[in-house]
């Protein structure tokens, strides 16, 4: 019989876990969309999203020696409880760690659905647990670092590495081999760096993982970059720029031709910003082609080219071929050498809008970096529209934020009060949750273009830019400390002091 009253909330996942009949897997519950929620004497109350699940509910209840009473709940609520059930059963437990050294035939390890509680091989359970835990904690990278007597597993969360697990040396070989099998890397080659990619699924959620192995003194070091498609691509509005900054960059990218550069260290969000800009520019009447290494997300309506050095597809060679494809907008993943920079600048001077990235400490230094590559200053002045330098800064956890005295390093900037996160269950005791961007925008106006052509120094260009209203990364960082978005320590860690 179906009970259609659903005013009560679903019970906790811990309670549901105790009610699941012996021999019934969470995989089976997910497939049928059912969960047991209450035992009433000889009856087992089972939550489902519609009455068509009555027969399946009866079969489930029979496993516990009871009859079924059906309760109708929203499908999303049931799915949420099932996800939590997996969380409860997917941890890296001592039982799995103890059993893993009995795995002998590593070549037989097959790719599987990661979100599963029916996997038997201990090494697969362990690797699945590491991946699931990383995704659950919003990690962007997983580091497996071998040492003389242990294997250290670390997660990068909000840009900072945290030690998560310390495994024994005996776990190193099977764990490394399992990951290489999943990434379709050569399991027998241990002395050459390799790259691979893993596509995993967590139920209906797709996650791509980019894998890199590097031989070290104590074995192969593995780093996995997590690209969670469920988070989706960010738009320019999602980047969190202030209204004035957003209007500036929107005006900049609406130019029909010229070059726009994004600068910053690895992991500062340059690729995310490039994707946001491309999405803002993508229209049916515009031909956009990108050269990337690697392609991180599929962009609808955009031609994306993957760099492949073995096949002779470099940034420079792909760029030459792209120009014969009649593009309106070109995105180059990174300007690494003179050839790429020179072709990119020539393209911007011949009617194309060119977007790319550089590794420099601030926006103005991009000019001197291009000069160092061998590009003539007059070409830079004629093609460069602007440069955006960015950093990602950890945000204070809103659940435990509190006011505190400003440290001496901030008082010299006139900041008497500051904020910090005390640490709570919502932020894992770190005091931070999530990140936001700081965007230093250097617009190449006519007077700045003249200064670049005449070989002006970086210091002179900075002074000109500040007169024109440019806010430096330090200025933006101080404003975020003053408003309570981040801490002085975090701002100094990311931006530095001047």
């Amino acid at each position: 019989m179906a009970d259609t009253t659903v005013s009560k909330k679903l019970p906790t996942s811990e309670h549901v876990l105790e009610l699941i009949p012996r021999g019934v897997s969470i995989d089976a519950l997910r497939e049928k969309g059912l969960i047991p929620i209450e035992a009433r004497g000889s009856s087992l109350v089972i939550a489902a999203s519609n009455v068509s699940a009555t027969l399946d509910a009866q079969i489930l209840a029979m496993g516990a020696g009871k009859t079924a009473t059906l309760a109708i709940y929203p499908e999303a609520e049931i799915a949420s409880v099932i996800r939590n059930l997996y969380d409860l059963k997917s941890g890296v437990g001592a039982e799995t760690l103890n059993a893993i050294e009995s795995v002998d035939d590593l070549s037989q390890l097959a790719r599987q659905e990661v979100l599963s509680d029916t996997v038997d091989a201990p090494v697969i359970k362990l690797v699945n647990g590491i991946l699931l835990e990383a995704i659950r904690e919003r990690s962007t990278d997983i580091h497996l670092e071998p040492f003389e007597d242990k294997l250290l597993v670390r997660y990068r969360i909000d840009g900072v590495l945290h030690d998560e697990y310390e495994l024994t040396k005996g776990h190193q070989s099977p764990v490394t081999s399992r990951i290489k099998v999943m990434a379709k890397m050569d399991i027998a080659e241990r002395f050459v760096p390799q790259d691979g990619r893993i596509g995993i699924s967590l139920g209906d959620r797709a996650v791509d993982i980019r894998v890199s192995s590097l031989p070290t003194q104590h074995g192969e070091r593995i780093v996995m970059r997590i690209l969670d498609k469920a988070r989706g691509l960010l738009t320019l509005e999602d980047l969190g720029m202030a209204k004035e900054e957003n209007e500036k960059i929107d005006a900049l990218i609406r130019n029909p031709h010229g070059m726009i550069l994004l600068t910053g260290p690895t992991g500062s969000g340059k690729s995310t910003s490039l994707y946001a800009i491309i999405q803002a520019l993508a229209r049916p009447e515009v031909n956009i082609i990108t050269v990337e290494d690697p392609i991180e997300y599929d962009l609808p309506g955009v031609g994306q080219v993957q760099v492949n050095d073995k096949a002779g597809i470099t940034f420079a060679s792909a760029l030459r071929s792209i120009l014969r494809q009649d593009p309106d907008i070109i995105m180059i993943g990174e300007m690494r050498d003179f050839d790429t920079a020179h072709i990119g600048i020539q393209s911007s001077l011949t009617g194309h809008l060119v977007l790319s990235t550089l590794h420099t400490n601030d926006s103005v230094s991009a000019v001197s970096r291009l000069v160092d590559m061998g590009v003539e200053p007059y070409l830079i002045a004629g093609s460069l529209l602007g440069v955006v330098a960015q950093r990602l800064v950890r945000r204070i956890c809103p659940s435990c934020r509190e006011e505190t005295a400003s440290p001496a390093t901030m008082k010299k900037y006139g900041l008497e009060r500051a904020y910090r996160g005390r640490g709570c269950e919502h932020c894992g005791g770190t005091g931070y949750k999530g990140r936001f961007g700081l965007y230093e925008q250097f617009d190449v106006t006519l007077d700045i273009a003249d200064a670049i052509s005449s070989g002006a120094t970086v210091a002179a260009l900075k002074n000109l830019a500040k007169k024109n209203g440019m806010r430096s990364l330090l200025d933006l960082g101080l404003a975020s400390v003053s408003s309570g978005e981040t801490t002085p320590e975090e701002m100094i860690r990311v931006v530095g002091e001047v």
Side-chain angles (χ1 to χ4, degrees), residues 182-205:
M182 293 177 75
K184 294 184 169 63
M185 296 158 71
D186 187 348
I187 195 171
E189 182 56 77
R190 294 176 296 162
F191 303 106
V192 175
Q194 295 185 63
D195 294 304
R197 198 171 188 130
I198 301 172
I200 65 172
S201 60
L202 290 78
D204 57 355
R205 180 178 174 187

Side-chain angles (χ1 to χ4, degrees), residues 137-148:
E137 293 193 15
R138 303 176 297 105
S139 173
T140 55
D141 301 85
I142 306 171
H143 290 238
L144 274 69
E145 302 176 4
F147 294 95
E148 185 177 4

Side-chain angles (χ1 to χ4, degrees), residues 26-27 30 82-90 115-116:
I26 303 175
D27 293 349
R30 184 182 69 193
I82 291 174
R83 281 196 297 272
N84 290 336
L85 289 174
Y86 280 116
D87 288 347
L88 291 173
K89 295 192 70 176
S90 65
L115 196 62
S116 175

Side-chain angles (χ1 to χ4, degrees), residues 113-422:
E113 153 77 66
V114 170
L115 196 62
S116 175
D117 69 331
T118 57
V119 171
D120 294 324
V123 66
I124 299 180
K125 284 185 177 180
L126 175 59
V127 172
N128 286 1
I130 289 171
L131 296 177
L132 285 168
E133 187 72 19
I135 293 167
R136 186 164 60 237
E137 293 193 15
R138 303 176 297 105
S139 173
T140 55
D141 301 85
I142 306 171
H143 290 238
L144 274 69
E145 302 176 4
F147 294 95
E148 185 177 4
D149 58 349
K150 64 184 177 183
L151 177 67
L152 189 62
V153 180
R154 304 210 285 169
Y155 294 162
R156 187 178 294 279
I157 302 170
D158 292 336
V160 177
L161 279 170
H162 301 270
D163 292 354
E164 289 292 328
Y165 305 111
E166 189 174 298
L167 308 180
T168 68
K169 194 67 175 176
H171 295 131
Q172 181 178 324
S173 178
V175 169
T176 300
S177 297
R178 168 61 182 164
I179 291 169
K180 290 173 72 175
V181 166
M182 293 177 75
K184 294 184 169 63
M185 296 158 71
D186 187 348
I187 195 171
E189 182 56 77
R190 294 176 296 162
F191 303 106
V192 175
Q194 295 185 63
D195 294 304
R197 198 171 188 130
I198 301 172
I200 65 172
S201 60
L202 290 78
D204 57 355
R205 180 178 174 187
V207 177
D208 283 345
I209 300 175
R210 200 168 73 224
V211 184
S212 169
S213 72
L214 181 70
T216 67
Q217 179 185 5
H218 299 296
E220 288 177 285
R221 179 189 176 109
I222 302 284
V223 175
M224 294 179 276
R225 166 64 56 89
I226 298 172
L227 305 171
D228 189 349
K229 295 185 176 182
R231 294 178 186 171
L233 291 165
L234 299 182
T235 63
L236 280 175
E237 291 74 21
D238 295 332
L239 293 180
M241 292 183 178
K243 183 181 178 182
E244 182 183 347
E245 294 167 334
N246 200 298
E247 289 172 352
K248 276 186 181 181
I249 198 165
D250 192 63
L252 197 63
I253 65 177
R254 299 299 169 185
N255 283 282
H257 53 80
M259 185 166 67
I260 301 169
L261 297 176
L262 278 75
T263 74
T266 301
S268 59
K270 300 187 297 297
S271 296
T272 300
S273 296
L274 276 178
Y275 279 125
I277 291 171
I278 290 292
Q279 285 185 98
L281 296 173
R283 302 184 303 278
E285 65 272 19
V286 176
N287 182 16
I288 303 177
I289 303 181
T290 73
V291 191
E292 305 174 55
D293 185 22
I295 296 172
E296 295 189 3
Y297 292 97
D298 291 332
L299 294 169
V302 177
Q304 296 173 270
V305 179
Q306 169 70 56
V307 168
N308 186 341
D309 290 329
K310 291 180 181 177
I313 304 175
T314 63
F315 280 113
S317 67
L319 194 47
R320 290 189 186 95
S321 299
I322 279 175
L323 293 173
R324 295 193 285 272
Q325 295 280 318
D326 186 31
D328 299 296
I329 300 169
I330 300 169
M331 191 265 270
I332 311 165
E334 184 183 343
M335 287 196 169
R336 295 179 177 174
D337 51 38
F338 170 75
D339 285 341
T340 309
H342 186 70
I343 300 167
I345 285 177
Q346 292 292 345
S347 303
S348 70
L349 292 170
T350 54
H352 305 89
L353 181 63
V354 178
L355 308 168
S356 190
T357 68
L358 269 180
H359 286 283
T360 61
N361 289 327
D362 56 45
S363 57
V364 181
S365 296
V367 174
S368 61
R369 179 79 180 100
L370 290 171
V371 171
D372 289 342
M373 284 183 177
V375 181
E376 294 292 341
Y378 73 90
L379 290 175
I380 300 171
S383 63
L384 192 61
L385 296 171
V387 184
V388 179
Q390 66 180 81
R391 299 289 189 276
L392 289 177
V393 182
R394 288 185 293 173
R395 191 187 301 275
I396 296 174
C397 174
S399 299
C400 60
R401 191 180 77 156
E402 61 183 19
E403 192 172 340
T404 184
S406 182
T409 50
M410 292 292 102
K411 288 181 178 177
K412 67 181 180 182
Y413 299 114
L415 295 179
E416 294 297 327
R417 304 296 296 173
Y419 298 85
R420 69 178 182 92
R422 186 174 60 256

